[in-house]
Amino acid sequence: MGGFDFAFFAEVLVGGLLSGVMYSLVAIGFVLIYKTSGVLNFAQGAQLLLAALTFVSLVERGVPFVLALAITFALMVLLGLLIERVVLRPLVNQPPITLFMATLGLSYVIEGVAQLVWGTQVHELDLGISDAPLELGGVLISSFDLFAAGIAAVMVALLSAFFRYTHIGLSFRAAADDTFAALSVGLRLPRIWATVWATAGIIALVAGLLWGARLGVQFSLSMVVLKALPVLVLGGFDSILGAIVGGLIIGALEKLAEVYLGDLVGGGIESWIAYVAALGFLLVKPGGLFGQRLVERA
């Protein structure tokens, strides 16, 4: 009977961590919207799909890569602004379930429009990134996953700098900490909300291209949002750091469970183990690892 293979364990763990970064990208879009306005934006998956579908369709029609990226970028920013102005702003101060249902309905509208414009066929998205395995320290790592992790790290660094050092970023943090206090000192919340929704559109663009390159651009791509929910439960719905840490935990858990427990449960554990972990975590720490604990006084 052979001993424990640490090299293989490290390979599985690193692969899971890198896959978790992809979940974190989607979860960060949720966090930005929820932190500022308390809205669980279920349309994030449809935005992700629209970004990938628009980009790949433009490229297939002969539009240069950089120009297609710029057009898609502008579309996602405009879409974010329109969603905030036309859909969410009129529903300010409505119950959370109303806002959630609005984003749920919006997701179907976006998917329907995308289907009318681009059709339903599956598209192959090639970003020019090889998926050949790289050997680092005796561990085989997917070059695509490594690239995705690097993109995610850059995005997190840019977002952190934006919200820490810019005026609109400081306004965002103030509005997230105390909406009424932000209003009392003259901050314009509609402008802050519009900026956040536009930023969420950009995140959807990046996540859409990476997920589209991995899975192919198809309408099931919008269901990636379901992968972000366990991440948010573990990390906290209002923490960017929590979205990153939660993604890493879920990614590692899925890969390790599939490899080491898959034979015991008959396979397929990777598709549901994250939700079991999230459910168990809810019973212990409902606010997540980094979520703010709400204190209500009677």
Side-chain angles (χ1 to χ4, degrees):
M1 182 175 179
F4 185 76
D5 191 341
F6 286 100
F8 178 70
F9 172 81
E11 186 175 314
V12 174
L13 177 62
V14 171
L17 292 173
L18 293 179
S19 296
V21 172
M22 300 278 282
Y23 301 155
S24 296
L25 279 176
V26 182
I28 288 174
F30 275 98
V31 169
L32 289 178
I33 301 301
Y34 186 82
K35 191 172 178 63
T36 50
S37 55
V39 178
L40 184 61
N41 178 28
F42 206 79
Q44 185 75 15
Q47 291 177 268
L48 183 152
L49 168 67
L50 180 64
L53 196 55
T54 301
F55 176 81
V56 73
S57 298
L58 290 173
V59 170
E60 288 176 350
R61 285 164 172 76
V63 178
F65 185 96
V66 175
L67 180 58
L69 185 62
I71 293 173
T72 309
F73 179 92
L75 174 65
M76 296 312 297
V77 171
L78 178 61
L79 178 63
L81 295 173
L82 286 174
I83 290 174
E84 188 281 327
R85 183 65 182 89
V86 177
V87 180
L88 274 302
R89 193 180 299 184
L91 297 176
V92 170
N93 297 324
Q94 294 298 314
I97 186 62
T98 301
L99 297 170
F100 171 74
M101 293 303 296
T103 64
L104 181 61
L106 182 63
S107 69
Y108 286 103
V109 171
I110 294 174
E111 289 187 28
V113 171
Q115 182 173 337
L116 286 174
V117 175
W118 304 120
T120 59
Q121 65 270 27
V122 178
H123 302 264
E124 181 181 355
L125 176 55
D126 183 10
L127 297 179
I129 307 164
S130 172
D131 199 20
L134 300 174
E135 184 174 353
L136 299 176
V139 176
L140 293 177
I141 301 175
S142 165
S143 55
F144 181 86
D145 287 345
L146 201 60
F147 173 82
I151 293 295
V154 170
M155 285 201 66
V156 170
L158 291 175
L159 285 171
S160 299
F162 175 76
F163 290 122
R164 183 177 295 274
Y165 299 114
T166 66
H167 175 72
I168 189 67
L170 293 174
S171 299
F172 162 81
R173 293 171 62 192
D177 290 338
D178 193 324
T179 302
F180 294 105
L183 284 171
S184 67
V185 297
L187 293 181
R188 300 178 62 182
L189 292 185
R191 178 180 295 179
I192 296 172
W193 290 332
T195 303
V196 172
W197 274 93
T199 304
I202 296 172
I203 294 173
L205 166 62
V206 177
L209 294 184
L210 293 176
W211 276 102
R214 167 177 279 184
L215 303 178
V217 180
Q218 51 193 313
F219 275 79
S220 61
L221 197 63
S222 62
M223 301 309 292
V224 168
V225 294
L226 298 180
K227 285 288 189 179
L229 296 181
V231 173
L232 295 168
V233 170
L234 264 68
F237 281 81
D238 54 4
S239 172
I240 292 178
L241 177 61
I244 299 167
V245 174
L248 295 177
I249 293 174
I250 292 298
L253 175 66
E254 286 185 344
K255 296 299 182 183
L256 291 173
E258 182 67 23
V259 171
Y260 291 102
L261 300 178
D263 292 338
L264 297 177
V265 299
I269 190 174
E270 186 176 358
S271 63
W272 53 263
I273 187 65
Y275 300 96
V276 174
L279 179 59
F281 203 82
L282 278 174
L283 300 176
V284 178
K285 193 174 176 59
L289 291 172
F290 300 93
Q292 294 182 358
R293 185 177 180 179
L294 298 179
V295 179
E296 295 185 359
R297 295 180 176 86

